[in-house]
Amino acid sequence: MKIATKLVNFESSPHDLFSPAVTPIYQTSTFVQPSATGGGSYDYSRSGNPTRAVLETQLARLEGASHAYSFASGMAAIGAITRLVAAGSEILAGDDLYGGTYRLLSQILPRQDVAVKYADTSDVDAVAAAIGPQTRLLLVETPSNPLLRVSDLAALAELAHAKGILLAVDSTFLTPYLQKPLELGADLVIHSATKYLSGHSDRTAGVVATKSKELAGELAFTQNAEGTALAPFDAWLLLRGIKTLAVRLDRQQANAQRIAEYLSRHPGLTAVSYPGLADHPGHDLHCRQARGAGAVISLETGSVEASAKLVEALQLFSITVSFGSVGSLASLPCRMSHASIPPEVRRARALPEDLVRLAIGIEDVDDLLADLDQALSRVLKPDVCQRSAPMIAQVGVREE
Ligand SMILES: *Cc1c(COP(=O)(O)O)cnc(C)c1O
């Protein structure tokens, strides 16, 4: 079965007496046990819930994992991963990660006596050099957020395993529809399911999946012990969102490719980054390890003021953190999703302050192109706008 079929074809209500076509929401904290000494299948929803179980079985199946766990948010999922690392050891993390992940690693883990080091994971030699005797876990995003750098997952898995450490991949940008880190050798795959897996900006959720029985046991223990599991209603919403993942992403990345090509030809922009562009430094590697480039594009205008004005001049892109929803969004990562990274660290990591992140939705691409075109010509310098005028004809803006 191909993944688009698996998304809608799954056992949605195992053991339910009435065979409902859609998974019921078991909105209950407790389950009556058959006797004082012997339990039924479930006893307490923090430990297990039938709606969540259907979701987790489906997530494991989509990732090619044996086990998956769903959490109240992506950060709760990443928090559970960090619990795999004992006090006194070290995590090696990518140096371009979601801002909230950086906050957890830099401000919470030191309190638990876990050290964190950072490396550019798109450079396998740099990672090899940074692994130390106490390193237990390598945490990678590819493409990274927000710079869209691509890391070689098969090479990193080989390196990690040669050194006896675990590789965890935050695959939020691509979902199992486009990339399967476990098949490339990763030990753990993480998602902020708030993004594409949900697809509608209507809940937060997180996922961890693995093929290892031992890691699964530890994750289940942490999820129960810390009470971070996804609630039944949110599990139900996520199950519904996942069904349309393939159609949404197909449309979103087709739109994103057209928009990235348009932006890359725009003379007023100083940089445009999208793994689907042939001139992206990670393009070939990305095409080898993923089935598509996703729908997030980064661009630079040369000044923070111009970037802020550009984002504000857009009419079809809402100014919103996050991404992965059906509607297009625009943001300034250094002021929004990555503001928790201190300015000096952003500078040291060459994270441009004028970076604009566009998350492309399922709208008609001609409307999105026309909106970008009007915003760019309003915001960028007049001489640049004149030069960019023929762009409108080139992209075929259409009246409706
Ligand atoms: C959003 C995001 C997270 C955090 O997920 P939440 O659901 O917001 O807690 C983690 N990693 C990446 C790559 C993200 O984009």
Side-chain angles (χ1 to χ4, degrees):
M1 226 190 271
K2 297 253 171 69
I3 189 163
T5 311
K6 283 187 187 172
L7 290 171
V8 290
N9 192 301
F10 62 100
E11 203 176 3
S12 58
S13 49
H15 317 302
D16 192 289
L17 195 57
F18 303 110
S19 306
V22 168
T23 311
I25 306 170
Y26 284 88
Q27 189 66 34
T28 180
S29 58
T30 44
F31 299 81
V32 179
Q33 295 174 224
S35 74
T37 49
S41 305
Y42 297 95
D43 59 1
Y44 192 46
S45 279
R46 169 156 51 71
S47 323
N49 175 282
T51 310
R52 196 168 87 222
V54 172
L55 170 68
E56 292 178 343
T57 302
Q58 172 68 333
L59 288 166
R61 184 168 162 254
L62 298 176
E63 284 294 353
S66 57
H67 298 79
Y69 299 92
S70 60
F71 294 86
S73 68
M75 286 323 306
I78 296 172
I81 292 274
T82 67
R83 299 297 195 198
L84 298 167
V85 178
S89 350
E90 179 185 87
I91 294 175
L92 178 59
D95 65 359
D96 180 41
L97 295 175
Y98 170 66
T101 305
Y102 177 78
R103 178 173 52 206
L104 176 81
L105 297 178
S106 64
Q107 295 190 50
I108 303 289
L109 290 199
R111 298 183 206 175
Q112 297 165 195
D113 195 25
V114 172
V116 184
K117 262 202 319 221
Y118 302 92
D120 175 359
T121 55
S122 67
D123 178 349
V124 179
D125 294 335
V127 175
I131 294 175
Q134 300 309 320
T135 312
R136 293 287 173 272
L137 178 84
L138 173 60
L139 176 60
V140 173
E141 282 179 21
T142 179
S144 62
N145 181 2
L147 293 177
L148 301 171
R149 283 200 213 120
V150 178
S151 296
D152 186 338
L153 292 182
L156 290 174
E158 201 179 314
L159 171 66
H161 297 154
K163 303 263 187 183
I165 66 179
L166 297 171
L167 173 63
V169 178
D170 181 338
S171 202
T172 300
F173 264 53
L174 295 181
T175 80
Y177 183 56
L178 299 178
Q179 179 171 271
K180 298 269 199 63
L182 299 181
E183 284 179 4
L184 296 163
D187 301 286
L188 297 147
V189 58
I190 310 161
H191 294 281
S192 166
T194 311
K195 318 288 168 54
Y196 291 106
L197 286 170
S198 291
H200 297 77
S201 299
D202 52 10
R203 85 219 59 134
T204 64
V207 178
V208 180
T210 182
K211 285 187 195 176
S212 151
K213 225 172 155 178
E214 198 188 324
L215 293 175
E218 288 192 55
L219 290 165
F221 178 79
T222 301
Q223 187 193 48
N224 181 41
E226 299 191 325
T228 48
L230 194 61
F233 181 63
D234 289 331
W236 180 83
L237 275 173
L238 183 51
L239 269 168
R240 187 168 73 158
I242 288 172
K243 290 177 192 172
T244 55
L245 181 68
V247 283
R248 283 186 282 109
L249 264 174
D250 283 346
R251 171 63 165 258
Q252 281 171 283
Q253 63 177 359
N255 283 357
Q257 185 71 36
R258 286 269 311 273
I259 289 169
E261 284 168 12
Y262 158 75
L263 294 170
S264 69
R265 289 193 302 261
H266 200 289
L269 297 173
T270 54
V272 175
S273 183
Y274 178 64
L277 292 174
D279 68 356
H280 186 286
H283 176 74
D284 293 343
L285 169 61
H286 186 82
C287 293
R288 282 201 301 279
Q289 67 184 13
R291 297 197 312 138
V296 176
I297 302 170
S298 299
L299 61 87
E300 290 165 55
T301 61
S303 85
V304 179
E305 300 74 52
S307 290
K309 279 194 195 145
L310 173 65
V311 165
E312 285 162 9
L314 289 165
Q315 284 166 5
L316 297 178
F317 291 72
S318 62
I319 305 176
T320 314
V321 293
S322 196
F323 55 87
S325 189
V326 286
S328 291
L329 315 174
S331 69
L332 292 185
C334 291
R335 298 288 175 280
M336 299 167 68
S337 55
H338 291 65
S340 53
I341 303 177
E344 63 280 7
V345 178
R346 297 202 298 260
R347 263 196 303 281
R349 294 177 174 192
L351 185 58
E353 296 291 311
D354 66 330
L355 196 77
V356 175
R357 190 178 71 190
L358 298 178
I360 309 302
I362 63 169
E363 301 90 339
D364 189 305
V365 70
D366 291 335
D367 288 336
L368 297 177
L369 286 165
D371 190 30
L372 283 161
D373 212 74
Q374 67 77 21
L376 284 164
S377 26
R378 269 213 279 162
V379 167
L380 298 177
K381 295 182 212 82
D383 61 317
V384 169
C385 294
Q386 254 163 18
R387 274 190 281 136
S388 77
M391 301 292 297
I392 296 178
Q394 208 173 331
V395 299
V397 176
R398 184 179 70 201
E399 293 291 330
E400 266 188 354

